[in-house]
Amino acid sequence: MKRLLKSLTRLFPRGFRDRFGEELLDQIEQDYDDARMRGLGAAAWTTLATAADLARSAAAERLRPTWSSHRTEWESGMRSTLNDWMTDLRYAGRSLRRSPGFAVITIGTLALAIGATAGMFSVVDTVLLNPLPYGSVDRLVAIRASAPGSDMPAEFGVSDEFFIQYKEQSKLLEDLSTTNSFTSTARLDDRVERIRMSWPTNSLFSTLGVKPILGRLPVAADEENAVVLSHRMWMSWFNGDRNVLGRTLQASGSTRTIVGVMGPEFRFPNEETMLWLSSELRADRITSPGQFGTTLIGRVKPGVSTQALASELTALSKALPRRFGGNATYAQTIEKHRAVVRTFRDETLGAVSRPLWVLLGAAGVVLLIACANVANLFLVRAEGRQRDLAVRRAIGAGRRNLIWSQMSESVVVACAAAIGAVALAGVSLPAFLRAAPTGIPRLGDVKLNAATAVFTVLLALVCALACGLIPALRASSPDLSRLGDGSRSVTRGRGWTRDVLVVGQTALALVLLIGSGLLVRSFWALKHVDPGYTTENIFSFQIAPEGPSLRTPEAFARFDLDFMRRLRALPGVESVGLVDNLPLNEGTSGSRFRAEGSGTSADAGPRVNFTFSAGDYFKAMGIKVLRGRTFDESDHTTTLGSVIVSKAAANLLWPGQDAIGKRVQMNGSDVWQTVVGVVNDVLQDDFRDAPQPLVYYPLVVAGRPNWAVSSPAYVVKTRRADVIAPEVRALAKAVAPTAPMYRVYTMEGLAKHSLARLSFTMLTLGIASSLALILGAVGLYGVLSYIVAQRTREIGVRMALGAEATRVRRMIVAQGARVIAIGVVIGIAVAFVSTRALSSLLFGVKALDATTFVGMSSSMILVGLLASYLPARRASRVDPIESLRGD
Amino acid sequence: MNLLDGSGMSLLEYHVLLALASGPLHGYAIKDVVAAESSGTLTPRAGSLYRVIGRLMTAGLLVDTEPADAPAHPGLARKYYTLTARGRSMLADEARRLKQAAMMAEKRLGVARSRS
């Protein structure tokens, strides 16, 4: 405390400190000691009061020194300049207070724009600019695969044998690990929850260059018995207990010993990951190659490019069939295989960086428009002061002096705006973050920090400069001839600065309008995509029941059928069904299938996804049954071998034929399944994708005794979808007391969620563009109003000479129209180039969509004309006598 | 309001001069005396106090001295402040002005009271 106070004495000027420093310190010490004897409260109060007093008197001493014996020439020069500046600022503050309307509009406009920009900056700074919390991030890469010309997806995850091969033989890789993420049950005593887990190779930690804050990392000797906790898990399940090491917990069905705890910043592969299970991948454990789907994370040696690594890995993969075997399809896939290597930064931030930069850009554009607007207002204000400035110039005020005294108003406005902006950002940032879609890494860490504060201050200074400099420069060379004439003369000629500003505003506003127009159209298109099912009035959840009686698919089926019967009995429930992978929530797994009589072997057939369903799933979800029937209870209790296929699967397996009664076989099984029904396609993952072919199995499948559907998603069709959760929870608790209920959704919520990223960007850009439109219109209105005011006399003369009101109106509107037209042309040109930045967000509309371009340009022109019409109408009502009376 | 720009004497300035009228004091003692003589309404913190002292010295109303008979203070070479002749007369002027002002106030309040 004392040290803080003592350091504050350094605020005093040197001369003062030399003379009084020692005594100051002495008194501060005595004051503090006296107060301390009276208690802590008194000490705290004294500290505060003394600190405030020191700061205040030091500032006062610097501005109006009392101690003058040691003042240097330079210091006094500085001081007088500073004094002049302060006087100017005080004067500016006073004069702003005299025109509150101007102050409120300029400060409000800038605060809004600076606040939005600063808020977006803090998001971009935290999410994108902050270095990722791993060692030498620039050497980390993500490795996936492609096989152009095969029937594999454009890009897919590798399989385990790739990892072995790369790890052993790559000369460019320093370290390599697998990564994955799944939801499973964790159990500690009687706490049971479904949580996000990861089961990477132990090398994950060394690859990323991270260390635990407690304990150690898993090693090969741990086999599959160790677990590393995330900081979140450590805090929420163990209260941060440091004796957690060595304790055991059940995770994903096995008992594991806690060996380490990671720091709070380590959240990999996603924010929700709660723990990492130990595992070691060995070559001798790979029995069937080609189980694709794993993303590898690698660390390259210094100076290795992604291209160099990709070609090395592509070459290495060619030896895989020779080493690990596999069938002919696998060999063909490998033949066409090309490694896909991406920087780790692109992999983790690539998807979110584009929208975030677009939003920051939009905020920046709004800020530019706001600056142009405010600059315009300052120009108008300076215009009104020409006479006053001419007087000051005439009596010897220097040019720099005049510039500064003009700038000082914009400095005051910008500073006030910056304070307002920080307050605004502080209030609106949390709301903004709540509205943001999930899955943006580190979004939870976003807050107003020092970087944002510095950014805001810099922004405010730039704004002050931008808004004040042009008016100040113009004001600094006032027309001395104005001294002689009356104050109501016509001013012409210098309006071009204002026109340029309005042209710029119009152009920028149009760019934002077109951008948000494109997003609105995409959103509209996505919203009207038919996903193949309805989303209204559907409640969904999962439970993962466990118990000694639940071992076989039949047992699970009996449990599910019974549970669904009870769910159906709940009040207001129309139908109940279940599915293993709920659309929009989970992807489905895929396999190769062959149709009977197709002549190919099963491992060479087309890739089709599969899932399981029971009850009135199709009815509840509103999925149309196109042919045949759906499963009945006997399909789930006995191995009848029925399957239902989607339209796309039927077309793929039996093009042009009726699929009912046809038989199909999955790769790796020797049992044939008979198609009993064909249902409509559904969009499983994303409204943007084309529907995938899908095979639905019943709960019990012949020849697959291990395929227990242990944690399906139950689908409940009811008008009470929003409120039924507690009743369902109670029922679930009754039938499976130890099974946590999780993934509780309404389908409507999921649909909204899947649109979230786009709707969020659209909404934000929409707000930005409406702001831009309003600011642009206000700017145009202001300029034209001003021109009308300036030309009142001229208009009066025209009207006295017989000009009609309509002609006068047309004249003013034409002036506005010219400015808007130029702005629109430039805006379209800029939008032509810049909307490409949005293309990854668009759906069902091209970046150069003519309708949007024309529509938005017309609305810009319309708003502009309206903004010109109002001053024009005023001009046409000028009374010639009134306007001429002044002279 | 301060002496340097001729806009009159502040209350704290007045009390510092008053404290020194009975003899030289060091900084901390000035603070105590000011606090006591203003019935606790003025308890100047270090920064304000030394700024006032600086101002009064610049205006030539006090000087710092190191009196031979001052009690030795272990470890601290304390500066003592003494009123100059000019300081003494300024204090007297201000006291007179305050007295007149106070009398005027009493008179008016008295008149006002008798009227009501």
Side-chain angles (χ1 to χ4, degrees), chain A residues 87-106:
Chain A
T87 312
D88 274 337
L89 286 182
R90 262 199 301 275
Y91 178 76
R94 268 204 297 276
S95 89
L96 281 174
R97 229 170 323 173
R98 273 199 302 274
S99 36
F102 176 82
V104 166
I105 289 176
T106 50

Side-chain angles (χ1 to χ4, degrees), chain A residues 12 16 19-20 22-24 26-28 30-31 34 45-46 49-50 53-54 56-58 60-62 64-68, chain B residues 1-2 4-5 26-28 31-32 44-55 57-58 64 73 76-79 81:
Chain A
F12 282 95
F16 190 90
R19 172 58 189 81
F20 296 109
E22 214 170 288
E23 288 169 85
L24 263 177
D26 184 32
Q27 176 162 353
I28 289 169
Q30 287 216 28
D31 277 348
D34 287 355
W45 169 246
T46 301
T50 309
D53 175 70
L54 285 175
R56 196 193 59 80
S57 4
E61 185 64 31
R62 281 190 181 272
R64 283 185 294 165
T66 61
W67 185 249
S68 52
Chain B
M1 294 276 266
N2 69 57
L4 292 186
D5 60 16
H26 57 77
Y28 200 73
K31 186 206 117 172
D32 285 344
R45 305 268 162 203
S48 306
L49 178 65
Y50 284 99
R51 229 180 135 239
V52 165
I53 291 176
R55 190 150 65 215
M57 286 173 78
T58 306
D64 47 351
H73 198 286
L76 265 176
R78 274 188 164 154
K79 293 227 165 57
Y81 297 93

Side-chain angles (χ1 to χ4, degrees), chain A residues 143-146 152 156-167 176-179 201 281-282 286-296 317 320-321 324-326 330 333-334 337 607:
Chain A
I143 301 164
R144 292 164 59 77
S146 66
M152 295 294 284
F156 51 96
V158 300
S159 50
D160 289 348
E161 69 276 10
F162 282 71
F163 170 79
I164 305 282
Q165 181 83 345
Y166 290 170
K167 178 125 187 167
L176 184 67
S177 79
T178 66
T179 159
T201 48
L281 204 53
R282 290 206 304 263
I286 291 165
T287 48
S288 58
Q291 308 292 313
F292 294 108
T294 306
T295 300
L296 301 180
S317 70
L320 285 170
F324 292 96
Y330 178 68
T333 308
I334 293 298
H337 166 259
R607 289 182 67 85

